[in-house]
Amino acid sequence: MRMPPSSGALRSPGGAAGTAIVLVLVAAGVLAPWLSPYPPDFQQTGAVLEGPSAGHWFGTDDLGRDVLSRLLYGIRQDVIIIVLAVPLSKAIGIVVGLLATTHRIVDVLVQRVLDVKLAFPTVIMGAALAAFLGPGFSTVLIVIVISGIPVTARLTRTAVLTEREREYVTGARVVGASRAAILVTHILPNAVDALVVNFVMSAAGAVFLEGALSLLGFGIQPPAPSLGGMIEKGLPYLAEQHWAVLAPIAVLTGLVIGLNLLGDALNAALRRGH
């Protein structure tokens, strides 16, 4: 039995490090209501822009809110975005990729639509949607869902076109299996590994994109905590109160690096398995 790529990936130094980083940060976000020393929007007027202390490990921001508490809830927002947006984006991408394999004309049309999307910068799309729908959590979700469709669609299309020429598919046709049965039972399971790698890399992209959109004012809006929003709010105080910016930058960077390390390790393990 062929071992899944995750087994080899977790044994590599990069994969182990990425997994550890992701697990720690995701657990911190999930457990934010229990780990957070203060509510994320709680303001202490007498503790504005205080440095790290026993009462505020990462200091406070310009409104006297505890930076650690907002960091934990900011991670929680990213976890929610990954759980909601990335699977939906992958599901739509898989359907689009499968549709492209049904007929030559359909394939050409799908490829041209995907080319248009890939030629359109994601941040500009986010700005346009924010102008039309208004900035916020839903806008971030829509942008992430749309941005992840082309890569998944093309990955699925390539996997299907490659796998359906193999001998086991020919054998399934000979014994009378339907096209749908061959696709679901044989082809897609053999494309799962590549889709898992794509999922992890897309999660890293989603975290980065949420941070970028919120930093530019198109994403999650205050007082709701977000890592990008915390960076944007702390930039005016960078010189004298650097912790308000460096803490969310470190967490955002760590989460993206952890996911990328895990994705790279999975990809390397997948290549070794073929």
Side-chain angles (χ1 to χ4, degrees):
M1 179 181 293
R2 183 170 64 90
M3 296 298 292
S6 57
S7 60
L10 295 180
R11 288 196 294 268
S12 69
T19 301
I21 293 171
V22 171
L23 287 178
V24 169
L25 291 178
V26 168
V30 171
L31 299 175
W34 295 273
L35 296 177
S36 174
Y38 303 92
D41 55 353
F42 176 68
Q43 300 180 20
Q44 294 176 284
T45 55
V48 174
L49 290 174
E50 283 192 351
S53 64
H56 303 283
W57 289 6
F58 291 172
T60 61
D61 64 8
D62 59 318
L63 296 177
R65 297 173 297 193
D66 182 63
V67 172
L68 174 58
S69 299
R70 293 185 65 76
L71 276 176
L72 292 171
Y73 276 90
I75 299 171
R76 186 180 179 86
Q77 293 273 32
D78 280 345
V79 172
I80 294 172
I81 286 172
I82 290 173
V83 170
L84 293 179
V86 178
L88 179 59
S89 177
K90 300 303 104 179
I92 296 174
I94 290 171
V95 171
V96 172
L98 293 176
L99 184 64
T101 66
T102 58
H103 195 280
R104 175 62 182 169
I105 295 177
V106 177
D107 188 19
V108 172
L109 291 174
V110 168
Q111 295 305 313
R112 296 298 76 79
V113 171
L114 296 180
D115 285 340
V116 171
K117 165 59 193 75
L118 290 171
F120 198 68
T122 302
V123 174
I124 294 178
M125 179 181 68
L129 283 174
F132 181 70
L133 301 174
F137 186 83
S138 59
T139 298
V140 173
L141 287 180
I142 294 172
V143 172
I144 291 174
V145 169
I146 295 175
S147 66
I149 292 173
V151 173
T152 304
R154 288 187 166 169
L155 180 64
T156 303
R157 171 185 177 274
T158 300
V160 171
L161 293 179
T162 301
E163 292 293 328
R164 74 182 183 185
E165 300 303 323
R166 299 189 184 276
E167 292 182 0
Y168 71 88
V169 175
T170 303
R173 291 197 190 102
V174 170
V175 298
S178 66
R179 177 181 296 183
I182 293 173
L183 184 64
V184 173
T185 307
H186 299 287
I187 295 179
L188 282 182
N190 283 286
V192 165
D193 289 348
L195 291 172
V196 169
V197 175
N198 177 245
F199 183 96
V200 175
M201 301 304 288
S202 295
V207 172
F208 180 83
L209 186 55
E210 182 280 318
L213 291 173
S214 296
L215 175 61
L216 295 172
F218 305 137
I220 299 170
Q221 298 297 293
S226 72
L227 299 177
M230 291 179 68
I231 297 171
E232 187 271 332
K233 290 289 291 181
L235 283 176
Y237 313 99
L238 178 60
E240 64 275 12
Q241 313 288 0
H242 53 274
W243 60 83
V245 178
L246 294 183
I249 287 177
V251 172
L252 180 62
T253 303
L255 188 53
V256 172
I257 289 176
L259 287 166
N260 274 305
L261 285 173
L262 179 57
D264 288 342
L266 285 168
N267 190 44
L270 176 60
R271 290 179 183 276
R272 288 194 299 269
H274 287 280

